[in-house]
């Protein structure tokens, strides 16, 4: 038997392949960021007003913020020890395929358009743009049906929240109609 050179594995801890195999660390990082954000906001809550009992308005946000950070740490520990999330039995996705960034960007655009327009044109119109944009981003291409369903869904949502639940939404120029 001839002695052949054996290639030693190169340990690059931050290589793309290493990060791709541990993509759940991204979720952990997002959870840490959210936990820190919640804790910072909780610390800024003013407690000048009278409170009832020993638990003030900071208690729940602090518990949520700490919980997010603890879950993030446990997830990161599990991933670094070799744990991987399993796809559900009914999922038929191929994890080796790249992400569909076009769809993600279209959905983000529809959401940002809603956020930018809601104060100007009101919820019924900005919500219709959001619902139609989401349908378009997810593949629906019926240019007559989709805007009609989006407008109807937006108006129904506005009426439910504004009139029945008492959650005021900006009505824009359509405020007197509903």
């Amino acid at each position: 038997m001839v002695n052949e050179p054996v290639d030693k594995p190169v340990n690059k801890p931050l290589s793309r392949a290493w990060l791709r195999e541990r993509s759940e660390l991204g979720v952990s990082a997002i959870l840490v960021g959210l936990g820190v954000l919640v804790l910072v906001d909780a610390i800024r809550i003013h407690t000048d007003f009278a409170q009832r009992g020993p638990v003030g308005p900071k208690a729940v946000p602090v518990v949520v913020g700490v919980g997010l950070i603890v879950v993030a740490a446990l997830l990161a520990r599990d991933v670094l020890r070799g744990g991987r999330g399993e796809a559900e039995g009914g999922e038929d996705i191929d994890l080796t395929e790249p992400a569909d960034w076009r769809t993600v960007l279209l959905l983000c655009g529809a959401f940002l358009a809603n956020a930018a327009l809601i104060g100007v044109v009101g919820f019924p119109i900005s919500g219709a743009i959001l619902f139609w944009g989401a349908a378009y981003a997810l593949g629906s291409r019926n240019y007559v049906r989709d805007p009609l369903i989006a407008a109807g869904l937006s108006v129904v949502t506005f009426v439910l929240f504004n009139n029945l639940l008492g959650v005021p939404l900006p009505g824009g120029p359509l405020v007197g109609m509903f």
Side-chain angles (χ1 to χ4, degrees):
M1 187 183 249
V2 178
N3 288 338
E4 295 180 19
V6 177
D7 293 334
K8 291 185 179 181
V10 179
N11 288 335
K12 293 183 182 177
L14 292 179
S15 70
R16 283 192 138 170
W18 188 87
L19 288 173
R20 183 169 284 146
E21 292 172 2
R22 291 160 185 84
S23 61
E24 292 93 344
L25 290 175
V27 174
S28 182
I30 291 171
L31 289 174
V32 167
L34 286 174
V36 168
L37 179 68
V38 168
L39 288 174
V40 167
D41 281 348
I43 291 169
R44 292 182 182 173
I45 293 176
H46 297 290
T47 56
D48 299 344
F49 53 89
Q51 69 184 48
R52 295 182 180 176
V55 178
K58 294 182 180 184
V60 171
V62 167
V63 169
V64 169
V66 169
L68 285 168
I69 292 172
V70 167
V71 167
L74 292 173
L75 175 62
R77 183 177 138 237
D78 181 53
V79 170
L80 292 174
R81 288 184 169 188
R84 275 191 67 91
E86 279 187 37
E88 292 182 25
E91 286 189 43
D92 57 350
I93 58 170
D94 185 6
L95 296 176
T96 61
E97 290 293 316
D100 183 8
W101 288 108
R102 180 182 180 276
T103 301
V104 172
L105 292 175
L106 285 172
L107 285 171
C108 288
F111 179 76
L112 291 174
N114 179 46
L117 294 173
I118 195 168
V120 179
V121 298
F123 182 82
I125 295 172
S126 69
I129 292 170
L130 171 68
F131 296 142
W132 175 80
Y136 181 85
L138 295 173
S140 182
R141 296 294 186 266
N142 191 322
Y143 297 112
V144 175
R145 180 194 64 202
D146 294 345
L148 292 174
I149 291 175
L153 185 59
S154 180
V155 168
V156 167
T157 304
F158 177 77
V159 169
L160 283 174
F161 275 84
N162 201 54
N163 298 350
L164 296 177
L165 295 176
V167 178
L169 295 174
L174 304 176
V175 74
M177 294 179 66
F178 307 107

